[in-house]
Amino acid sequence: MQLPHKNRTILTDINSESAFKLAYLRYSAKVYGVCIHKVQSKEDAEEIVQDVFRSAWENREKFKTGKPLENYLIKAAKYKLIDYYRKQQVKNQHLTIVSETAETSNNSTEDHMRFTDLKETVFSALHKLPSKTKEIFWMSRKKGLTNKEIAAELKVSEKTIEYHISSALKKFKVQLAEYI
C-alpha cells in the first residue's frame, strides 16, 4: 500500500476502505485546489473532486502498484476538468441557439404554430426511436455525456454508442426534412 519516501509515505493504491479514506484525507484538498483554480465555482469544484475520487474507487483494481496515487488523482482531475468544460461548451451552444431563435422570431402566430409543429415532430421522432437508441441519444444530448462515458455506464462498446447516435440522427434527419 505505501512506500517510504523522505520520512513520509507515498500512497500507491486504494484497495481497502482505510487506504481510500487516507488518500481522500491526504489528497482531496490538493485536487480541490487544482479544480477551484480552473472552474471558479466552489460547488462545481467540489463536484469534480467527488467525481475524481468516485472514479478512483470504482477503478481501484486498475492501479499499477508502486505508482504514486497523487499523480493519478491530479491527472484524473485535469481530465474531469476537460469534460466539465466540454459540457459547459455544449450547454452554452444550446443556450445560444435558443436565444438566437427567440430573437429572430417575431412571435407571430404563424411562427408560433411552426415552432409548435416542429417541437411535436421532434418529440414524435424521439419517441419512435428504439428504447436503447433513445436512451443513448438522450444521454448524449441532454446529459452531455461523451460516447466513452455512455459506453462505460451502459457497459457496451463505444462503437455501439456511435451506431445508436448515428442511427438516431439519420432518423431525425428524415423526420425533419421538411423543416431543413
Side-chain angles (χ1 to χ4, degrees), residues 14-15 20 51-64 69 72 76 80 152:
I14 53 171
N15 286 326
F20 180 78
D51 286 346
V52 167
F53 279 92
R54 179 188 44 77
S55 178
W57 177 254
E58 289 172 354
N59 296 301
R60 64 190 175 274
E61 56 279 337
K62 294 179 184 176
F63 288 118
K64 295 180 181 174
L69 183 60
Y72 168 83
K80 292 288 184 186

Side-chain angles (χ1 to χ4, degrees), residues 24 31-32 35-36 39 41-55 80-81 84 87-88:
Y24 185 82
V31 173
Y32 177 80
C35 295
I36 193 68
V39 298
S41 164
K42 180 182 176 188
E43 293 80 18
D44 289 343
E46 289 172 352
E47 188 174 325
I48 293 168
V49 171
Q50 293 304 314
D51 286 346
V52 167
F53 279 92
R54 179 188 44 77
S55 178
K80 292 288 184 186
L81 287 165
Y84 169 84
K87 288 175 185 174
Q88 290 297 106

Side-chain angles (χ1 to χ4, degrees), residues 78-107:
K78 290 178 181 178
Y79 284 118
K80 292 288 184 186
L81 287 165
I82 290 168
D83 288 342
Y84 169 84
Y85 279 113
R86 185 183 311 118
K87 288 175 185 174
Q88 290 297 106
Q89 185 178 19
V90 168
K91 182 178 175 183
N92 290 339
Q93 287 172 344
H94 289 152
L95 290 174
T96 300
I97 291 169
V98 169
S99 297
E100 289 172 356
T101 303
E103 288 173 12
T104 58
S105 174
N106 62 7
N107 293 327

